[in-house]
Amino acid sequence: MKVIDEKNSLLQGFLRWRERHIKDKQFVLILSFLVGICTALAACLLKFLVEYIKEFLTENFDSTGVNWLYLVYPVVGIFLTGLFIRKVVRDDISHGVTKILYAISRKQSRIKRHNVWSSVFASAITIGCGGSVGAEAPIVLTGSAIGSNLGSIFRMDHKTLMLLVGCGAAGAVSGIFKAPIAGVVFTLEVLMIDLTMASLLPLLITSVTAASVSYLLTGTEAMFQFHLDYPFSLERIPYAIALGIFCGLVAWYFTRSMNWIENIFRRYNNPYVKFLIGGAMLSILIFLFPPLYGEGYDTISLLLNGRSSAEWDTVMNNSLFYGNSQLLVVYLLLIILFKVFASSATNGGGGCGGIFAPSLFLGCIAGFVFSYVCNEFQLGGTYIPEKNFALMGMAGLMSGVMHAPLTGVFLIAELTGGYGLFLPLMIVSVCAYLTIIVFEPHSIYSMRLAKSGELITHHKDKAALTMMSMETVIETDFQVVRPDMDLAEMVKAISKSGRNLFPVVDVRNELIGLVILNDIRNIMFRQELYHKYRVENFMVTPKACIITTDSMEDVMDKFDKTGSWNLPVVDEDNKYIGFVSKSRILSTYRQVMVDFSAE
């Protein structure tokens, strides 16, 4: 206890010193620098653990035949991860980016402390043992948790906490991919952090710091080696547009299929049943298609750097398809088809990972297959460089799955150094995004929150409503009356209340009507009528009722449609809770807008 007291006193002393000597804006820049260092270290640790486990398990595999241990390793990985999460973490750490979006919109940007380390170890076990997911979403959650908790330690306000959460995410993307621009753009585009000069500088500091630390620890080379052998030419623009549409359709398939499979897993409450289903599905798929093992970055490197069919055919090593070069396209199409099943089975069965890597992996294969088929059948009479279109496909899939075309462009350019293809990267990303929004208005990260009205967006009006809580606007100081009370008892209730509205409830506390003071003003002073009228004779039906599960946007819609200034609030069983007044909402709304928009 004495040690804890000493730590608290030191912190209190530092906080008082900081308030006197360092301004808030300057201190935010210092915190963003610290977040950049911490997130880069976490990213490098995660990459090291994944690679070490993978190399340890697979270094002796025979590339010319099947390897039966592919049936074992993925199952062991998700089993150990599931035990770690249930017994050690004891909290749900899946859907990392969705959790960040929820924390920003509903939990005042506060992320639990265990997220600083839990996702790193859980995802390292999962991916290293073959889980067909990526390490990027877990490290983004880790980075955001670092930012949130660092801000909480130094007692920063809600707006600063939100910014530090964004800094953590930007630093994580920048650190793990060595892509500082993509880190900033991802935060602005996916996490919906508002772009102001006050937010841009801390994001840049975190991203540059994280990338610099990664350079120091792992070298300055791009994550994927890529050499531009065929500069982009104008006659390939129609092919780039067609590839964008194709990537958008693949992204739509991936998104819809993942939601469908996750809903199947959600039906089972027993974690061991989920593990059996997910483990069996994952191990069989990896045994048949070894490129599904882990993140799939080896396959990406192969397709980006291969120069001939002989090199590309090595993608079928370790599998039943080995040596059947005529089946290359069929093999890759089957991988596109089944990748979503492998990724969903990994997380559904108890593993931990994200969809960054699956998006890059699928995009690379989709771009390669598209160009390979065009060249084989000489569609259009123009040569389509396979490696260029594999690179462009990565941007297209990421743009479609995440609804983030700028992130797709900058991330792929920084990942590979492929700046010479900037224009076609933009074309493919935009076309993929325009294709998928026809079918899916929200990204795979945000659709769950959007359905429940908990998604913060760049639309400031909707963002302010999302950040408002129903609990803060409900008023409960209304005098409740019964339908069988006579006018005399009603007058007594009026004398005790300072309101002009009175909810009428039955014996089960269910709302059945309202008494409006103006409606009975002409009879409330006539004593001869006190025992002739009952509340049920002059109560009215409310124009609308607000349910406690309604979003603030739904609440405002009800006020606009009814023209009311006060509406009753009930729970899902019609039990009376209180009232919400339009003036109270407008007052709270104005304060949120001031806080949200302030520099």
Side-chain angles (χ1 to χ4, degrees), residues 103-247:
I104 290 173
S105 64
R106 273 289 181 265
K107 290 187 176 290
Q108 302 295 301
S109 299
R110 298 188 184 276
I111 301 175
K112 295 178 180 179
R113 288 192 177 181
H114 71 73
N115 289 121
V116 171
W117 54 269
S118 57
S119 295
V120 171
F121 294 104
S123 58
I125 297 169
T126 299
I127 301 166
C129 292
S132 194
V133 286
E136 294 76 23
I139 203 62
V140 167
L141 177 58
T142 298
S144 294
I146 290 171
S148 174
N149 285 280
L150 200 58
S152 297
I153 289 172
F154 293 108
R155 299 177 186 173
M156 308 306 291
D157 59 29
H158 166 239
K159 182 174 175 58
T160 305
L161 278 182
M162 181 190 295
L163 177 57
L164 290 173
V165 166
C167 286
V173 173
S174 176
I176 201 164
F177 285 128
K178 300 181 187 176
I181 300 175
V184 174
V185 173
F186 170 82
T187 302
L188 299 175
E189 202 170 25
V190 177
L191 298 189
M192 308 297 179
I193 299 297
D194 205 31
L195 178 60
T196 63
M197 286 307 298
S199 64
L200 184 59
L201 187 56
L203 290 173
L204 286 172
I205 290 174
T206 302
S207 288
V208 171
T209 302
S212 299
V213 172
S214 289
Y215 286 149
L216 287 172
L217 295 176
T218 62
T220 58
E221 300 85 7
M223 187 170 178
F224 297 113
Q225 296 299 318
F226 177 80
H227 184 268
L228 184 59
D229 297 326
Y230 299 92
F232 188 71
S233 56
L234 293 179
E235 63 265 20
R236 297 193 184 112
I237 288 180
Y239 295 94
I241 294 172
L243 175 62
I245 296 171
F246 178 59
C247 288

Side-chain angles (χ1 to χ4, degrees), residues 238-519:
Y239 295 94
I241 294 172
L243 175 62
I245 296 171
F246 178 59
C247 288
L249 294 174
V250 174
W252 176 49
Y253 163 76
F254 183 83
T255 302
R256 287 284 178 93
S257 299
M258 179 161 280
N259 280 329
W260 175 67
I261 299 168
E262 285 183 349
N263 287 334
I264 293 175
F265 277 100
R266 212 170 280 127
R267 295 173 189 171
Y268 301 98
N269 295 320
N270 190 323
Y272 294 103
V273 173
K274 293 182 178 181
F275 162 71
L276 289 174
I277 298 172
M281 187 187 304
L282 178 62
S283 62
I284 292 171
L285 286 173
I286 290 177
F287 176 74
L288 295 174
F289 307 100
L292 296 178
Y293 188 102
E295 297 166 304
Y297 287 161
D298 292 340
T299 302
I300 293 175
S301 295
L302 172 64
L303 297 180
L304 290 181
N305 295 298
R307 295 175 179 272
S308 65
S309 296
E311 292 184 35
W312 295 327
D313 289 345
T314 59
V315 77
M316 296 186 287
N317 285 358
N318 302 308
S319 75
L320 296 170
F321 291 78
Y322 178 80
N324 296 290
S325 58
Q326 72 278 9
L327 297 177
L328 176 62
V329 171
V330 175
Y331 184 76
L332 293 177
L333 285 173
L334 289 174
I335 288 178
I336 293 175
L337 182 66
F338 289 117
K339 176 64 175 178
V340 65
F341 290 87
S343 298
S344 301
T346 302
N347 286 330
C352 177
I355 61 165
F356 261 93
S359 299
L360 296 174
F361 176 81
L362 275 181
C364 185
I365 294 178
F368 178 85
V369 169
F370 177 88
S371 56
Y372 190 90
V373 170
C374 286
N375 291 330
E376 282 292 307
F377 293 95
Q378 298 182 348
L379 300 178
T382 301
Y383 175 67
I384 309 299
E386 287 87 354
K387 57 190 298 184
N388 289 12
F389 273 65
L391 186 75
M392 291 149 57
M394 293 165 69
L397 246 294
M398 179 157 283
S399 171
V401 171
M402 298 184 184
H403 284 218
L406 287 176
T407 302
V409 171
F410 284 105
L411 180 60
I412 304 311
E414 289 184 290
L415 270 179
T416 61
Y419 293 99
L421 294 175
F422 217 79
L423 177 60
L425 286 173
M426 293 177 67
I427 293 172
V428 173
S429 291
V430 169
C431 291
Y433 174 69
L434 293 177
T435 300
I436 196 171
I437 59 172
V438 174
F439 308 101
E440 291 288 353
H442 298 285
S443 74
I444 197 168
Y445 293 135
S446 61
M447 57 177 53
R448 301 176 188 87
L449 298 179
K451 288 177 182 176
S452 56
E454 297 172 328
L455 176 66
I456 189 171
T457 72
H458 283 307
H459 190 299
K460 288 194 175 182
D461 177 68
K462 292 183 178 180
L465 289 174
T466 301
M467 296 176 72
M468 292 168 60
S469 171
M470 179 74 79
E471 292 78 12
T472 62
V473 295
I474 295 178
E475 301 174 56
T476 56
D477 58 336
F478 286 80
Q479 189 71 34
V480 177
V481 297
R482 304 284 182 187
D484 56 350
M485 291 170 56
D486 60 21
L487 183 58
E489 294 172 298
M490 184 70 226
V491 171
K492 288 182 181 179
I494 292 172
S495 66
K496 297 177 184 177
S497 174
R499 301 283 192 165
N500 61 357
L501 279 176
F502 299 86
V504 184
V505 300
D506 60 17
V507 293
R508 295 185 299 276
N509 199 43
E510 293 183 11
L511 183 72
I512 57 175
L514 300 176
V515 173
I516 303 173
L517 185 61
N518 283 341
D519 291 348

